[in-house]
Amino acid sequence: WLSGRGARVLERRYRTRDGEIDLIVEAEATLVFVEVKTRTSERFGRPAEAVDSRKRAALVRTAARFLQEHGWSDRTVRFDVVAVLADRPGRCRILHREAAFRPGE
């Protein structure tokens, strides 16, 4: 879905002891760390609501490790959340929240 919108996928399921990042993509000159949340209903809340402060902190730590490993401390970065609601067979709604949060939030 992101590739179809011009993003170039660099990594899928990047894992460290600090956590996991679902997707790391490059969109124009920005390195984007993407958390993907999928739900089959909103009964227990919207998918993006599952990205709480603890999850955001883990994403930031994991992203910092990725940047360090690649020597990319000077890159412009962003943290996005892609929420997928697959509430009917064969149909899903996708909500892409660009810059969903900033480190320290």
Side-chain angles (χ1 to χ4, degrees):
W1 189 85
L2 291 171
S3 295
R5 284 161 174 71
R8 185 169 65 102
V9 177
L10 302 177
E11 294 269 347
R12 298 174 200 271
R13 293 186 205 110
Y14 174 78
R15 296 178 190 185
T16 71
R17 61 187 168 119
D18 293 316
E20 177 181 329
I21 298 174
D22 294 325
L23 292 169
I24 301 171
V25 303
E26 191 170 38
E28 298 177 14
T30 302
L31 194 61
V32 185
F33 299 98
V34 182
E35 178 67 11
V36 179
K37 288 294 180 190
T38 303
R39 298 286 184 268
T40 56
S41 80
E42 293 181 320
R43 183 175 177 182
F44 299 106
R46 294 183 175 147
E49 292 171 354
V51 185
D52 59 13
S53 60
R54 196 177 87 214
K55 179 64 178 176
R56 289 191 302 266
L59 288 166
V60 170
R61 284 191 308 271
T62 306
R65 172 134 348 205
F66 179 86
L67 292 168
Q68 181 182 34
E69 284 178 3
H70 290 82
W72 287 346
S73 60
D74 60 337
R75 294 290 306 263
T76 300
V77 301
R78 187 176 81 210
F79 292 88
D80 290 5
V81 174
V82 172
V84 179
L85 184 60
D87 56 354
R88 290 189 223 161
R91 181 190 136 180
C92 62
R93 291 181 283 162
I94 299 172
L95 174 63
H96 179 194
R97 293 181 59 199
E98 291 185 13
F101 67 91
R102 293 185 181 140
E105 288 183 344

